[in-house]
Amino acid sequence: MGGEIKYEIGQNAYIKLVLHALKHKTSAVNGILLGRVVKDEVVEISESVPLSHSQIGLLPALEIALIQIEDHYGSQGLNVVGYYHANERYNDFELGNVAKKIGDHIYRYFPQAVVLLLDNKKLEALPKGKDLSPVVQQLYTRDASKSWRQAGSDGGGRLTIKEPSSNIVLLDYISSEKWQEVVDFDDHLDDISKDWLNPDLFK
């Protein structure tokens, strides 16, 4: 089973993580992916929770966030299944140590855990509408040696977006600057009136 797992991400989960990265273009951003195993070899990612844009490697903040996330989404039958990350530098295509460590933490509880590394070049091209392929540059899973490896020759090959029109919908959100409304855990910790669940984002 280990080498054949495929990942399918829902439209809202995908759009939210992209908007989070677009809101903080000059910072590294990260977040948690939630979902469930729907078939033996398919992990369905149905929700994403933006975590940070400034406190990326801060363990206490991460632990507080994970407790709240698991508490809220566990009641809906969703588990933490992965992690997404966008590097600060435009030309940085490496999965850094912080991302690997957070991935390791998730892997302990969910052995099919995935780490998605966003492609900053595709993110920048999105508002221009030139490239409508998913903005995930690489998909990483843990191998037998417990290292994070890019999945296959094309990491994106094992990640599909459930709704093929998601990037078209995303462009509408970008043109209306909807990304300004995304709240991550950093924002919530600064001002607890800001809701990290983003309940109104898709209204």
Side-chain angles (χ1 to χ4, degrees):
M1 173 174 163
E4 299 299 320
I5 301 170
K6 292 188 180 298
Y7 299 85
E8 184 179 80
I9 188 166
Q11 179 170 292
N12 285 2
Y14 170 71
I15 288 175
K16 195 192 299 181
L17 68 86
V18 174
L19 293 178
H20 182 216
L22 288 173
K23 182 175 181 179
H24 303 285
K25 289 180 184 174
T26 58
S27 306
V29 302
N30 67 355
I32 296 297
L33 303 170
L34 295 116
R36 56 173 68 90
V37 179
V38 289
K39 299 176 201 141
D40 278 347
E41 294 170 351
V42 178
V43 175
E44 185 179 77
I45 301 165
S46 51
E47 188 59 80
S48 61
V49 177
L51 276 184
S52 303
H53 61 272
S54 62
Q55 311 287 333
I56 288 280
L58 210 59
L59 199 58
L62 173 67
E63 288 178 342
I64 291 167
L66 279 172
I67 289 167
Q68 291 190 43
I69 290 166
E70 288 167 345
D71 187 51
H72 179 82
Y73 287 104
S75 63
Q76 301 175 25
L78 297 179
N79 301 306
V80 174
V81 298
Y83 169 80
Y84 72 84
H85 191 97
N87 287 323
E88 180 178 359
R89 295 194 315 281
Y90 178 78
N91 59 350
D92 185 354
F93 304 114
E94 296 298 317
L95 190 68
N97 286 332
V98 170
K100 289 176 183 175
K101 283 178 181 172
I102 295 173
D104 287 343
H105 180 77
I106 295 168
Y107 176 86
R108 285 205 295 272
Y109 302 96
F110 187 75
Q112 301 98 330
V114 64
V115 174
L116 304 182
L117 184 63
L118 303 191
D119 187 327
N120 288 333
K121 290 184 178 179
K122 285 186 178 179
L123 279 171
E124 187 174 69
L126 261 178
K128 305 177 182 90
K130 289 179 181 173
D131 184 356
L132 293 182
S133 61
V135 300
V136 175
Q137 179 220 343
Q138 292 173 350
L139 178 150
Y140 289 85
T141 53
R142 286 244 301 206
D143 63 15
S145 68
K146 300 187 178 176
S147 300
W148 289 96
R149 299 260 185 246
Q150 187 177 344
S153 56
D154 171 17
R158 281 177 39 201
L159 176 75
T160 55
I161 299 177
K162 197 170 185 182
E163 297 86 357
S165 60
S166 293
N167 268 338
I168 305 296
V169 177
L170 176 59
L171 288 177
D172 286 340
Y173 283 115
I174 291 171
S175 64
S176 62
E177 299 191 348
K178 192 80 171 174
W179 43 266
Q180 293 188 37
E181 298 175 26
V182 175
V183 173
D184 62 19
F185 254 92
D186 281 351
D187 298 322
H188 174 69
L189 292 174
D190 288 340
D191 178 356
I192 59 168
S193 70
K194 294 181 177 178
D195 192 343
W196 58 270
L197 289 168
N198 290 283
D200 301 321
L201 189 62
F202 297 109
K203 288 185 179 174

